Amino acid sequence: MPQIPTITDINEATERIKPYVHRTPVLQSSWFNDQTGAELFFKCENFQKVGAFKFRGACNAIKKLPKHDGKKGIVTHSSGNHAQAVALAAKLNGYKATIVMPKNAPKVKVEAVKGYEAEIVFCESTIDAREETAQNIIRETGATFIHPYNHPDVIAGQGTSAKELLEEIPELDAIFTPVGGGGLMSGTLLSAKAINSKIKVFGVEPELADDALRSMKSGKVEPVLRTDTIADGLRTSLGELTFEIIQSHIDNIVTVSEASIIRDMRNVWERMKIIIEPSSAVPVAAIMDNKVQVEGLKVGIILTGGNVDLDTFKW
Amino acid sequence: MPQIPTITDINEATERIKPYVHRTPVLQSSWFNDQTGAELFFKCENFQKVGAFKFRGACNAIKKLPKHDGKKGIVTHSSGNHAQAVALAAKLNGYKATIVMPKNAPKVKVEAVKGYEAEIVFCESTIDAREETAQNIIRETGATFIHPYNHPDVIAGQGTSAKELLEEIPELDAIFTPVGGGGLMSGTLLSAKAINSKIKVFGVEPELADDALRSMKSGKVEPVLRTDTIADGLRTSLGELTFEIIQSHIDNIVTVSEASIIRDMRNVWERMKIIIEPSSAVPVAAIMDNKVQVEGLKVGIILTGGNVDLDTFKW
């Protein structure tokens, strides 16, 4: 098993990726504060390069690679945002990227990967199909695999978002993030708990993809059973590494319904005038549905991305 | 004719409204910079209270009212954002607001006005019908009329946005705003030209509502001939006061097509992950269509608002 990153790794990642990433803004909303009785601070990774926090982890992992490895190419599999992140980070380093994507990935994400000049190989949407396809490419080309979440450098990179948030709002009582593969969740836990051991950190999943909650109960990594949640970034299971970190540090994991995700995605669009993708609305929904008591607290929420297919809007 | 505001009026407005307005962020976009060859700075009034710059002017005008006048109530007519702005500013001062709205005003804007506890009186969408309806209410109640743009305190309030923008990016070569009734345009001209006499200031209109351009050519206020542009905030003609200010100070007025407005509204949503209403996309479209040469320049754009009916999105 790869080693668990430390706060030193996260600090080094911060310096390593600083020239490439946006320091994303932290927004507030009086409407959401009124609704919840809490003071909410939204860390806007939807404004990050490629439209999602994923660029932080991919950029850190690819920047750290020895040049002779990078020259053989980069491979990954992803339902979308990690794909764009690897494609752009590889391009910035002059490496070739090959991205394995599930056939049902949103069109907007496929187009974006193409825009970063990566090669795309489509496969079935199961985790097995993705991994097998990626392994075949590695065998043929000697390319380096950048796992979307079960990778210490990726986790350290994702941890830089919570670090920035806590630099800006050090008095936070709690931080909420969604849980998909657990990369952001792990990075956030390592970062936040090292900076302030008293801070509470909560993970939120769609009810339809509650694998992390089930994994916490059973004590081992449980698979996602369905891939039909609207929160397309959260359709993956935990990895061994992210599971270990989450199990050791997390305060609680809660779940939210599809209806609540859609409701609060729309609330964020209407009230805050920013575009978030469904996965970003998952922690917002947990707070709005009172799944964790936050009244009177200062709460950080990481809005993970803003890549939505806008074709259905009547332009 | 009311007096033209000075930079002193704008500075006083800034202090007067400071406790109530958001100091809106200035965003950049590498995609738009790549497309235009310019460095663009987007002043995000879509994040302003009530979702539009209009709150600045209404807040300034209503705050300045003697209490015995305010107590008789506030009246205005507006296609939407000024209505919300007056409703909220009146509410914050404990005054009653009555808003005359055209029957075809977007539902989201009508709902928002109701949310601020104002009374709504609907009328036909012509400027004559609006003014007559408002005058009837004034005659009956003694309420004070806050004109949406042809009012020195409103213009001074709108000028505070460009002032903030220039405080943040003093080296701007040019500023673009849309032109509807001319309140923002006038405030921006007075503010920008007083702060830096060399700065170029451009107004942009939809081709379907090119009344300001025609007014500049004829030397008198020309009416809007159609009210069907998608840019619903720009369906009004200039006033005598705004016309005089614009005529004296503006560098140029250009027009853009409906297709370009829609294209760049979508580009801003997709590339910047922020929600803007069609009127906000009007100056963006002028730059993207090269209606004014901006290559190599630092250019400010005031994104005027973000109030869009999201019902047509497939949630």
Coordinates of all heavy atoms in Angstrom, one line a residue, chain B residues 5-6 8-11 13-14 16-17 56-57 60 151-161 183 186-187 190-191:
Chain B
P5 N -24.7 64.5 -11.7 CA -23.9 64.2 -10.6 C -22.4 64.5 -10.8 O -21.9 64.4 -12.0 CB -24.1 62.8 -10.3 CG -25.2 62.3 -11.2 CD -25.4 63.4 -12.3
T6 N -21.6 64.8 -9.8 CA -20.2 64.9 -9.9 C -19.5 63.7 -9.3 O -20.1 62.9 -8.6 CB -19.7 66.2 -9.2 OG1 -20.0 66.0 -7.8 CG2 -20.5 67.4 -9.7
T8 N -17.8 63.9 -6.7 CA -18.1 64.1 -5.2 C -19.4 63.3 -4.9 O -19.4 62.6 -3.8 CB -18.2 65.6 -4.9 OG1 -17.1 66.2 -5.3 CG2 -18.3 65.7 -3.4
D9 N -20.4 63.5 -5.7 CA -21.6 62.7 -5.5 C -21.4 61.2 -5.5 O -22.0 60.5 -4.7 CB -22.7 63.1 -6.5 CG -23.1 64.5 -6.5 OD1 -23.4 65.0 -5.3 OD2 -23.2 65.2 -7.5
I10 N -20.6 60.8 -6.4 CA -20.3 59.3 -6.5 C -19.5 58.9 -5.3 O -19.8 57.8 -4.7 CB -19.5 59.0 -7.8 CG1 -20.5 59.3 -9.0 CG2 -19.1 57.6 -7.8 CD1 -19.8 59.3 -10.4
N11 N -18.5 59.7 -4.8 CA -17.8 59.3 -3.6 C -18.7 59.3 -2.4 O -18.6 58.4 -1.6 CB -16.6 60.3 -3.4 CG -15.5 60.2 -4.5 OD1 -15.4 59.1 -5.1 ND2 -14.8 61.3 -4.7
A13 N -21.9 58.7 -2.5 CA -22.8 57.5 -2.6 C -22.0 56.3 -2.2 O -22.6 55.4 -1.5 CB -23.2 57.4 -4.1
T14 N -20.8 56.2 -2.5 CA -20.0 55.0 -2.1 C -20.0 54.8 -0.6 O -20.2 53.7 -0.1 CB -18.5 55.2 -2.5 OG1 -18.5 55.4 -4.0 CG2 -17.7 54.0 -2.2
R16 N -22.2 56.2 1.5 CA -23.6 56.0 1.9 C -24.1 54.6 1.8 O -24.8 54.1 2.7 CB -24.5 57.0 1.1 CG -26.0 57.0 1.6 CD -26.7 58.1 0.8 NE -26.3 59.4 1.0 CZ -25.7 60.2 0.0 NH1 -25.6 59.8 -1.2 NH2 -25.3 61.4 0.3
I17 N -23.8 53.9 0.7 CA -24.3 52.6 0.5 C -23.4 51.5 1.0 O -23.8 50.3 1.0 CB -24.7 52.4 -1.0 CG1 -23.4 52.3 -1.9 CG2 -25.6 53.4 -1.5 CD1 -23.7 52.1 -3.4
R56 N -27.4 49.4 -6.2 CA -26.5 50.5 -5.8 C -27.2 51.8 -6.0 O -27.3 52.7 -5.0 CB -25.2 50.6 -6.7 CG -24.3 49.4 -6.6 CD -23.2 49.4 -7.6 NE -22.3 48.3 -7.4 CZ -21.2 48.2 -6.7 NH1 -20.8 49.3 -6.0 NH2 -20.5 47.1 -6.6
G57 N -27.9 52.1 -7.1 CA -28.5 53.3 -7.4 C -29.8 53.5 -6.5 O -30.0 54.6 -6.0
N60 N -28.8 54.2 -2.9 CA -28.3 55.6 -2.8 C -29.5 56.6 -2.7 O -29.6 57.5 -1.9 CB -27.3 56.0 -3.9 CG -26.7 57.3 -3.6 OD1 -26.2 57.6 -2.5 ND2 -26.7 58.2 -4.6
H151 N -32.3 59.9 -12.9 CA -32.3 60.4 -11.5 C -30.9 60.6 -11.1 O -30.1 59.6 -11.1 CB -33.1 59.4 -10.7 CG -33.4 59.8 -9.3 ND1 -32.4 60.3 -8.4 CD2 -34.5 59.8 -8.6 CE1 -32.9 60.5 -7.2 NE2 -34.2 60.2 -7.3
P152 N -30.5 61.8 -10.6 CA -29.0 62.0 -10.3 C -28.5 61.0 -9.2 O -27.4 60.6 -9.3 CB -29.0 63.4 -9.9 CG -30.4 63.9 -9.8 CD -31.2 63.0 -10.5
D153 N -29.3 60.7 -8.2 CA -28.9 59.9 -7.1 C -28.7 58.4 -7.6 O -27.9 57.7 -7.1 CB -29.8 60.0 -5.9 CG -29.9 61.4 -5.3 OD1 -28.9 62.2 -5.5 OD2 -30.9 61.7 -4.8
V154 N -29.6 58.0 -8.5 CA -29.5 56.7 -9.0 C -28.2 56.6 -9.9 O -27.5 55.6 -9.7 CB -30.8 56.3 -9.9 CG1 -30.6 55.1 -10.6 CG2 -32.0 56.3 -9.0
I155 N -28.0 57.6 -10.7 CA -26.8 57.6 -11.6 C -25.5 57.6 -10.7 O -24.6 56.8 -11.0 CB -26.8 58.8 -12.5 CG1 -28.0 58.6 -13.5 CG2 -25.5 59.0 -13.2 CD1 -28.2 59.9 -14.4
A156 N -25.5 58.4 -9.7 CA -24.3 58.4 -8.8 C -24.1 57.0 -8.1 O -23.0 56.6 -8.0 CB -24.5 59.5 -7.7
G157 N -25.2 56.4 -7.7 CA -25.1 55.0 -7.1 C -24.5 54.1 -8.1 O -23.6 53.3 -7.8
Q158 N -25.0 54.1 -9.4 CA -24.5 53.1 -10.4 C -23.0 53.4 -10.7 O -22.3 52.4 -11.0 CB -25.3 53.2 -11.7 CG -26.8 53.4 -11.6 CD -27.6 52.3 -10.8 OE1 -27.0 51.8 -9.9 NE2 -28.8 52.1 -11.2
G159 N -22.6 54.6 -10.5 CA -21.2 55.0 -10.8 C -20.2 54.3 -9.8 O -19.0 54.3 -10.0
T160 N -20.8 53.8 -8.7 CA -19.9 53.3 -7.6 C -19.3 51.9 -8.1 O -18.2 51.5 -7.6 CB -20.6 53.1 -6.3 OG1 -21.7 52.1 -6.5 CG2 -21.1 54.4 -5.8
S161 N -19.9 51.3 -9.1 CA -19.4 50.0 -9.5 C -18.1 50.2 -10.3 O -17.0 49.6 -10.0 CB -20.4 49.3 -10.4 OG -19.9 48.1 -10.9
G183 N -28.6 54.6 -17.1 CA -28.1 54.9 -15.7 C -26.7 54.4 -15.4 O -25.9 55.1 -14.9
S186 N -24.2 56.2 -17.7 CA -23.9 57.6 -17.2 C -23.0 57.5 -16.0 O -22.0 58.2 -15.9 CB -25.2 58.3 -16.9 OG -26.0 58.4 -18.0
G187 N -23.4 56.7 -15.0 CA -22.6 56.6 -13.8 C -21.2 56.1 -14.1 O -20.2 56.7 -13.5
L190 N -19.2 59.1 -15.7 CA -18.8 60.1 -14.8 C -17.7 59.7 -13.9 O -16.8 60.4 -13.6 CB -20.1 60.6 -14.0 CG -21.2 61.2 -14.8 CD1 -22.4 61.4 -13.9 CD2 -20.8 62.5 -15.4
S191 N -17.8 58.4 -13.4 CA -16.9 57.9 -12.5 C -15.5 57.7 -13.2 O -14.5 58.2 -12.7 CB -17.4 56.5 -12.0 OG -16.8 56.1 -10.8

